Every structure is written in structure tokens, then in C-alpha cells.
């Protein structure tokens, strides 16, 4: 019982890279849709569909359509 247990540190670099890629995919899809349809006519559902990202993930990453627009403008 007195043995020490070595704990492996959690490495989340792959998950972070995946999150950054998903974020970039959503921003790119939103940019295209905003240019094609305009901001008011573009739904969050359409952005998620175009980016192939579930709505729950989209809302977790951005929180709102306005935040997606802000990310698009930040990249532009």
C-alpha cells in the first residue's frame, strides 16, 4: 500500500487542435453564407450544416450568431 503511483499527465494537444480546426471551419462557412445570403437571412442551423458541425458544438464554441459574426470579422 505504500507504493507510489505514477500518474500520467493528460495531453490534450490533439483535442485543442481539433477545436481550433472546428472553429476555423465554422468561421469559414459563416463567412461564405453571410456573403451569399446576408447576416439576417443566415441561420445558425445553416452555418452548422455548412460547416458539418452539430449545433451543440457550435453554441459551445461561440454562444450566439453575433459571436460567430464577430469571429468572422476578426479573421477578415
Amino acid at each position: 500500500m505504500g507504493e507510489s503511483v505514477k500518474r500520467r499527465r493528460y495531453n490534450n494537444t490533439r483535442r485543442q487542435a481539433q477545436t481550433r480546426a472546428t472553429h476555423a471551419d465554422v468561421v469559414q462557412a459563416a463567412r461564405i453564407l453571410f456573403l451569399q445570403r446576408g447576416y439576417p437571412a443566415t441561420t445558425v442551423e445553416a452555418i452548422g450544416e455548412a460547416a458539418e458541425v452539430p449545433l451543440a458544438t457550435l453554441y459551445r464554441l461561440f454562444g450566439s450568431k453575433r459571436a460567430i459574426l464577430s469571429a468572422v470579422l476578426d479573421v477578415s
Side-chain angles (χ1 to χ4, degrees), residues 23 44 55-68:
H23 190 278
V44 175
L55 282 180
T57 301
L58 199 142
Y59 279 112
R60 182 180 51 79
L61 289 174
F62 295 94
S64 68
K65 183 176 164 184
R66 180 175 285 175
I68 297 170

Side-chain angles (χ1 to χ4, degrees), residues 8 13 20 28-29 32 42 44 47 57 67:
R8 191 177 344 169
T13 54
R20 283 191 301 273
Q28 178 64 17
I32 290 168
T42 301
V44 175
I47 295 169
T57 301

